[in-house]
Amino acid sequence: MKKKHFLHTALTLLLMGCTAVAQNKDAVKFSQTITKDNAFKHLSVLASDEYEGRETGKKGGWMAADYIKNHFKSIGLKGPVNGDYFQSIDMVTYGLSQILTVDGQPAEPLKDFYNMPQSVSAKGFSFNANDILFVGYGLTKDGYDDYAGQNVAGKVVLLFKAGDPKGENTSGTTSRNASSALNAKVKYLTEQKALAVLAIDPAMDNMPDNLKSYLLSEQMVMKTKENMDRLNNPQGLAVMTIGTTLANKILSAGNTNIDALKKKISETGKPASQEFKISISASANKVEKKVRAENVLGFLEGSDPKLKNEVLVITGHYDHIGITPNAKGDDKINNGADDDGSGTTGVLMVAEAFAKAKKAGKGPKRSILFMAVTGEEKGLLGSEWYSEHPIFPLENTITNLNIDMIGRGDKDHATDNNFVYIIGSDMLSTDLDKIGKKANKDYVNITLDERYNNRTDPNQFYYRSDHYNFAKHGIPVIFYFNGVHEDYHQPSDEISKIDFPMLAKRAKLVYFTAWELANGLKRPRVDKNEDGTPKN
């Protein structure tokens, strides 16, 4: 009996010792600043109305950048961009200056006509003519040809954006289908060397506010070589959309109108193509403005001379979508408490924990770059800029841990919010996947949901946040995410709906994973190709 009891006791103590070893006491000690209270302290500022939704290139975005910079500075992180914390991005906006005059009378933008901003190059366009060629639906099919006997070369061509010569009901035509149909017509007219296209769209007569807002908005562009080459390409065929009022004004030069022409085509089954003697002139030009936009970087140098050149990058995007003037209700500010004020808050807390460890002489062996990126909502712009203009060589970057939305939950976890989605952890590195999961098991014990962890997921989450701009360069990543909820990209994404204990717990998972990565004997080995196949 005694011998058996002794062996049992010894085994218990051994197992307890193994459990203790699994947790690094210093890691646990310095994690104590990652709390729900500290999370609230940061997020109540970043997601306040004063920050106006933190839109890139706007006042609220600049305020957020300054707040993050001051935090990094206050906790002792270094500014790695020639001594500064800001990595400026060469960003501009393009507004559209557009003019259309018919029969000597100016038309009104967004009431009588519009141009799609992305269809106008930096060089813009202009044209003048004394006549306009109407070609009905601009179709050639089933023995019907709107272009029969017509020479469109050098002509301003007027046509219906959508519809059918048989007069069939097209009320169910979607804007996407109509646009696709127009693109095919424009392609043909471009090949035939037409001068310009006027597309008649009855939907313009009652243009929805969201389309007006889009057409009035300035197009934000990073001045990369690829973007500039695209923008500076010669302007293709000028395409302007016009409403029925302006179309009928043009057609009145031939004593007819839209309804009469549609009826004639429908009843006869033949085209009604004809030329109208009426003057027209138009121009559209991009107006460029420099935008202040920056990633905010805080650097913690590693303590091991042999490993400090290797860098772990921890990211979260601090920008959101700003103010929606036509939002329903009184609240117009998209505070972005969860998206991604929560992730930014996580980065700030993790940075503080590591900074305190270093001050106590327990800093990580490898270096860590904490980076709050901008322009994510505009198309992952800030992280793309960093990946093309890295402050530290990408070959020295061992992993990117990216935090985008960790303050809420989704319907699939309504009864238990003790979870986080992880995406990408095994896409490029088996080592990273093991390290991240072991850190969770040893320290945090959150349910790791991997349902979105694949390249073919219809939501495409792997490609939709800043980690992807590291992954596409062969750098292993983990993306931490709490799923989409009903307040996603709405003014209702408010701080009052944040689960602060879970925000802190998820941030701790990032911290402990980072601790293991920054102090491990070896960096995670990249043993998979971008398509997931094993490397040779």
Side-chain angles (χ1 to χ4, degrees), residues 23-34 353 356-357 360 362 443 508 511-512 515:
Q23 285 196 344
N24 182 290
K25 292 180 180 180
D26 289 328
V28 173
K29 175 182 177 181
F30 295 107
S31 73
Q32 301 308 311
T33 58
I34 305 175
K356 288 189 173 181
K362 302 293 184 178
Y443 296 97
K508 281 189 175 183
Y511 164 80
F512 286 119
W515 187 281

Side-chain angles (χ1 to χ4, degrees), residues 27-28 54 78 113-114 126 145 150 214 226 340 382 438 455 460:
V28 173
R54 306 187 306 276
K78 302 300 182 184
F113 76 99
Y114 69 84
S126 65
D145 185 1
Q150 306 297 329
Y214 169 72
E226 180 183 359
D340 182 32
K438 186 175 187 302
R455 295 174 176 84
Q460 295 287 282

Side-chain angles (χ1 to χ4, degrees), residues 102-123:
V102 176
D103 198 24
Q105 299 296 314
E108 185 177 338
L110 300 190
K111 179 181 178 185
D112 298 315
F113 76 99
Y114 69 84
N115 292 280
M116 292 299 288
Q118 70 270 27
S119 69
V120 180
S121 77
K123 296 181 184 298

Side-chain angles (χ1 to χ4, degrees), residues 351-371:
E352 183 173 3
F354 274 104
K356 288 189 173 181
K358 181 165 185 177
K359 285 179 182 177
K362 302 293 184 178
K365 295 176 181 179
R366 292 180 177 83
S367 298
I368 305 179
L369 176 64
F370 299 93
M371 181 163 60

Side-chain angles (χ1 to χ4, degrees), residues 267-287:
E267 290 180 349
T268 65
K270 296 180 180 179
S273 303
Q274 58 189 291
E275 201 162 76
F276 294 86
K277 294 294 181 183
I278 188 168
S279 64
I280 182 170
S281 64
S283 67
N285 293 286
K286 299 264 194 194
V287 180

Side-chain angles (χ1 to χ4, degrees), residues 182-195:
L182 178 60
N183 289 339
K185 298 170 188 179
V186 170
K187 182 177 184 294
Y188 172 80
L189 289 168
T190 300
E191 293 169 350
Q192 300 303 311
K193 302 188 184 307
L195 178 61

Side-chain angles (χ1 to χ4, degrees), residues 181-224:
L182 178 60
N183 289 339
K185 298 170 188 179
V186 170
K187 182 177 184 294
Y188 172 80
L189 289 168
T190 300
E191 293 169 350
Q192 300 303 311
K193 302 188 184 307
L195 178 61
V197 174
L198 302 177
I200 304 169
D201 186 2
M204 244 209 94
D205 301 340
N206 296 289
M207 185 183 291
D209 289 339
N210 61 344
L211 178 55
K212 285 183 180 179
S213 296
Y214 169 72
L215 294 169
L216 286 170
S217 64
E218 296 176 326
Q219 183 185 9
M220 187 169 287
V221 177
M222 278 196 314
K223 296 192 79 171
T224 61

